[in-house]
Structures are given as structure tokens and as C-alpha cells.
């Protein structure tokens, strides 16, 4: 860096080149899918190629778990659209979590993170939860921040990558730089080249089968109401980007439980009400994106629905009925969960459309893969 500045100054002597800023890390060049807006990025964490590559390494590094058994990628596998296929997440200590691991495709556009926490509104902040959380334990570094930092600083190659990504920092390997690098990589996980996208934006009229086209019409119909909670380019009603005015934080009750006839969810996980204390938030959770949904089973916040076919059955029934009274569904369920009837042929069409949201290129893109396997 100092040599470059000296050479630049010598070159400018006697010329009108003016003041030039010292070169910093190369800015990241977005490769946005057709129809996708540019993600909004925090002002204190601008995207750079060095940060993205460092974050990718950290994402796959098992040293980010205290016992060295798990990385972020252990619960977010690329081949599964960055989910893990489990009913409930499994932490590095073997603790089974109460919730299903969410996918990371297009997470750059989310307005909140995890299933039901309106306070986690940035990827940088969210990264602290798996690293240091105690209930449940994920990566296991609670109260051991210095041990994590010492472990990473001891690797000369990794320390050099931190210095490249954060040249302005006196100590590049810090908790802030770890979370910023991870967030930068996660923002690059853009998925928008499914058959649906090829049909809609690529002019490939045969990218969707006739069944998928019929399913698409059903999906966007007022009869089924699917697109109210799964809307827009990301099939998710909460999205933020450079052109957004402000973030919206919707949460929904899908009628998944009704234990007492008044809408109660299991005490082990009642949803948004845990944080807000408002009775109307009982059973409310964030709507997930439907991108790559055919690969992200099992479904719902607790992984209690095994297949997409069963998901359609759940919504067709207007939610689950109270255990003691099969005719009574939750009074707290969303107004969009009203129930509907599908013929066997229509159900097959809906499944064909949902499967057409799978972006196979995303699942194998080497830019998102383990750098040990794809340098």
C-alpha cells in the first residue's frame, strides 16, 4: 500500500493529476438475475470482493464452532438451497433446536431474520445469534469471543485475508469484521434462474410445462390467495432493496395449531408473542420465500409438514383443526388462510408450478461453494 502511494505521488509530480485516493478493496460487482433490484447494503459495510471471499471462507470454516464440528454451511447446504433437510436444526453440541432451519437464497432482501424476531433486521446482527447464542446452542462460542478471535488470528493466511478485506482496521480480525464478512457473502446468494424466471424474463415460452402454467394461474388467483404472503420477485411479502422506501415486517398465523380452541400454539414455541407479549401475535411467524421450495422440506417453522403436497392440503383445509373438535380452526389465523378446494389435477398443476421455482444453477454455482473444493 505504501509503495503504491509513493509511486503514485512520484508519477503525479509536475502533472495535473490531482489528489487520488489510495486504492481500497475492489468493489463487488452484482450479478443480478433478471427482474431483481439491487439489494440494500448497510452504509458501514459496503460490498467488496475481498469481503465476499473472506465471508465465503468463514461460512465453510468449522473453526467457527467451539468444538470444531460445524460451520455455517453445516445447517445451510448449497445442494438443498442452503437448508439442511432436518425437521429441527441440530447444533454443534448435539442440541436439537425447536425450529426448522431456513434457506438463505435471496436473504439479502429480507427485512428480518429467523422465524419470528422483528429486532433482527440485518445480516450482521443476525450472525451473532448462531455464534454466541445459548438457547439454543448453535456454534457454541457464548462468553468465549476472545477464543474465537485468537483461533482465527493464529492462521497467517486467514489473518492476511482479513487485512485485505478490512485495510482500514488497526486489528482486522475482530467480531465486527467476522460478521461483516459473513453478511457480505450471504448477500451474494441470489437465486433467480428457475424455469419460472426463464419463462417470465428470458422469453423461453417452453420453460414452463403446460401443467406448471396452469399452476401459476392458480397460484396468483384470488381463489387460493397464495400470492398475498408469497409475493413479488422473491415470492415473499417482506422484501427490501435500494428502491424501497421503508422495511415492512409482516408476520402471519397460518392456523398450524389451535390447542385450546382459542388459537393457542404449543408453549414451546408460540411465535411472535414471545417477544411482543401481544395476544394477537400468538402463532405468528415470518413467511418464507418460495424460491427453491421443492428442495427445502420439511416445511413450517417447526418442520411439522413433510411434503409440498401436504402443505397444499393444510392451506386447502384452512389450517389445522382443534384436536378435540375437527370442525374448529384457529380464530387467530390469517384472513388469507380461508381454505379452498382443488381437484387432483389442479393440485398436480400447483405442485408442478412450485417445482418450477427451482434454480438448479444456484445449487451448483461454484461462487457459493466450499472454497476448499472450488478455489
Amino acid at each position: 500500500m505504501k509503495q503504491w502511494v509513493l509511486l503514485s505521488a512520484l508519477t503525479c509530480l509536475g502533472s495535473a493529476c490531482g489528489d487520488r485516493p489510495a486504492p481500497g478493496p475492489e468493489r463487488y460487482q452484482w450479478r443480478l438475475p433478471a427482474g431483481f433490484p439491487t439489494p440494500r447494503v448497510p452504509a458501514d459495510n459496503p460490498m467488496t470482493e475481498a469481503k465476499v471471499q473472506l465471508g465465503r471462507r468463514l461460512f465453510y470454516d468449522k473453526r467457527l464452532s467451539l468444538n470444531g464440528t460445524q460451520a455455517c454451511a453445516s445447517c445451510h447446504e448449497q445442494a438443498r438451497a442452503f437448508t439442511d433437510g432436518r425437521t429441527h436444526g441440530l447444533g454443534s453440541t448435539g442440541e436439537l433446536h425447536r425450529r426448522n432451519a431456513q434457506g438463505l437464497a435471496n436473504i439479502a432482501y429480507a427485512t428480518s431474520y429467523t422465524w419470528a424476531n422483528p429486532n433482527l433486521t440485518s445480516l450482521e446482527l443476525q450472525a451473532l445469534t448462531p455464534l454466541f447464542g445459548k438457547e439454543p446452542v448453535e456454534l457454541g462460542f457464548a462468553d468465549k469471543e476472545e477464543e474465537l478471535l485468537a483461533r482465527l488470528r493464529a492462521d497467517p493466511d486467514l489473518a492476511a485475508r482479513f487485512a485485505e478485506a478490512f485495510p482500514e482496521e488497526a486489528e482486522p480480525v475482530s467480531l465486527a469484521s467476522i460478521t461483516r464478512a459473513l453478511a457480505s457473502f450471504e448477500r451474494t446468494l441470489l437465486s433467480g434462474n428457475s424455469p419460472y424466471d426463464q419463462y417470465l424474463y428470458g422469453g423461453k415460452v417452453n420453460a414452463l410445462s403446460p401443467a406448471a402454467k396452469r399452476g401459476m394461474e392458480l397460484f396468483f388467483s384470488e381463489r387460493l390467495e397464495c400470492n398475498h404472503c408469497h409475493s413479488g420477485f422473491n415470492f415473499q411479502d417482506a422484501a427490501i432493496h435500494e428502491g424501497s422506501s421503508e422495511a415492512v415486517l409482516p408476520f402471519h398465523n397460518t392456523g398450524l395449531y389451535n390447542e385450546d380452541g382459542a388459537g393457542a400454539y404449543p408453549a414451546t414455541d408460540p411465535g411472535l408473542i414471545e417477544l411482543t407479549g401481544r395476544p394477537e401475535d400468538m402463532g405468528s411467524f415470518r413467511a418464507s420465500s418460495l424460491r427453491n421450495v421443492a428442495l427445502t422440506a420439511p416445511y413450517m417453522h417447526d418442520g411439522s409438514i413433510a411434503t409440498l403436497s401436504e402443505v397444499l392440503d393444510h392451506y386447502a383445509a384452512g389450517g389445522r383443526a382443534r384436536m378435540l373438535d375437527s370442525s374448529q380452526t384457529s380464530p387467530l389465523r390469517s384472513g388469507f388462510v380461508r381454505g379452498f378446494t382443488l381437484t387432483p389435477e389442479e393440485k398436480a398443476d400447483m405442485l408442478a408450478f412450485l417445482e418450477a421455482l427451482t434454480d438448479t444453477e444456484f445449487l451448483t454455482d461454484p461462487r457459493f461453494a466450499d472454497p476448499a473444493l472450488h478455489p
Side-chain angles (χ1 to χ4, degrees):
M1 179 72 74
K2 290 181 179 178
Q3 289 180 334
W4 189 96
V5 173
L6 178 60
L7 289 172
S8 179
L10 289 173
T11 302
C12 285
L13 285 176
S15 72
C17 64
D19 294 330
R20 291 179 180 173
E26 179 186 355
R27 294 190 67 83
Y28 181 76
Q29 299 298 315
W30 292 104
R31 289 170 56 179
L32 298 174
F36 277 43
T38 303
R40 182 181 294 185
V41 176
D44 63 353
N45 190 25
M47 295 285 287
T48 68
E49 186 65 32
K51 262 191 266 186
V52 168
Q53 293 307 321
L54 172 61
R56 179 184 168 206
R57 289 183 175 275
L58 293 174
F59 187 86
Y60 285 95
D61 195 332
K62 291 184 177 181
R63 289 175 294 184
L64 262 64
S65 59
L66 182 63
N67 60 14
T69 62
Q70 284 190 351
C72 304
S74 301
C75 296
H76 301 284
E77 305 170 24
Q78 184 180 11
R80 298 179 187 269
F82 292 95
T83 59
D84 63 0
R86 296 178 177 273
T87 300
H88 300 122
L90 186 67
S92 61
T93 61
E95 180 178 350
L96 197 64
H97 301 175
R98 64 177 179 168
R99 290 178 179 168
N100 180 256
Q102 292 185 309
L104 300 183
N106 302 330
I107 200 70
Y109 299 105
T111 58
S112 67
Y113 300 93
T114 73
W115 280 100
N117 191 338
N119 301 316
L120 285 178
T121 57
S122 77
L123 282 167
E124 290 80 359
L125 184 61
Q126 186 279 328
L128 298 174
T129 298
L131 281 169
F132 302 110
K134 297 180 181 180
E135 295 180 1
V137 173
E138 296 183 61
L139 297 175
F141 272 103
D143 304 320
K144 296 183 183 296
E145 176 184 335
E146 289 305 317
E147 185 170 343
L148 170 62
L149 297 178
R151 183 180 294 185
L152 301 182
R153 289 168 184 163
D155 182 335
D157 178 68
L158 191 62
R161 292 179 182 275
F162 271 95
E164 179 187 7
F166 300 95
E168 72 284 359
E169 300 293 337
E171 175 46 79
V173 184
S174 66
L175 181 56
S177 58
I178 291 171
T179 59
R180 289 175 180 177
L182 284 170
S184 294
F185 170 65
E186 290 166 355
R187 288 191 175 99
T188 71
L189 301 177
L190 303 184
S191 175
N193 191 32
S194 67
Y196 165 80
D197 299 295
Q198 294 171 25
Y199 171 80
L200 188 64
Y201 300 110
K204 297 182 179 180
V205 294
N206 295 322
L208 289 183
S209 67
K213 291 176 183 176
R214 293 192 298 268
M216 180 174 63
E217 290 184 12
L218 284 168
F219 181 91
F220 289 107
S221 71
E222 291 301 309
R223 175 181 155 201
L224 267 62
E225 308 274 20
C226 305
N227 67 311
H228 289 289
C229 296
H230 299 287
S231 57
F233 68 94
N234 199 34
F235 290 87
Q236 186 177 29
D237 60 352
I240 191 169
H241 49 82
E242 278 192 351
S244 301
S245 55
E246 60 180 291
V248 293
L249 300 170
F251 297 88
H252 309 280
N253 183 314
T254 61
L256 195 61
Y257 295 100
N258 183 23
E259 295 202 332
D260 60 356
Y265 268 49
T268 53
D269 195 1
L272 188 63
I273 190 175
E274 279 188 322
L275 295 179
T276 67
R278 298 182 305 194
E280 63 267 29
D281 289 335
M282 171 68 72
S284 289
F285 293 88
R286 183 170 76 105
S288 297
S289 168
L290 296 187
R291 292 281 179 179
N292 304 294
V293 68
L295 301 173
T296 61
Y299 304 101
M300 305 305 199
H301 70 278
D302 59 353
S304 61
I305 300 184
T307 67
L308 279 176
S309 177
E310 292 172 287
V311 170
L312 290 177
D313 291 341
H314 169 78
Y315 286 112
R320 286 178 180 159
R322 181 185 178 192
M323 292 182 180
L324 300 179
D325 181 354
S326 61
S327 67
Q328 186 176 356
T329 51
S330 172
L332 297 178
R333 63 180 177 165
S334 166
F336 296 121
V337 184
R338 301 183 303 182
F340 49 79
T341 300
L342 288 177
T343 67
E345 293 76 18
E346 288 176 325
K347 184 177 181 182
D349 291 343
M350 277 290 294
L351 291 173
F353 174 65
L354 293 173
E355 289 166 1
L357 300 179
T358 300
D359 177 358
T360 56
E361 181 181 52
F362 177 70
L363 308 176
T364 57
D365 193 322
R367 293 177 300 149
F368 310 141
D370 187 345
L373 303 176
H374 297 275

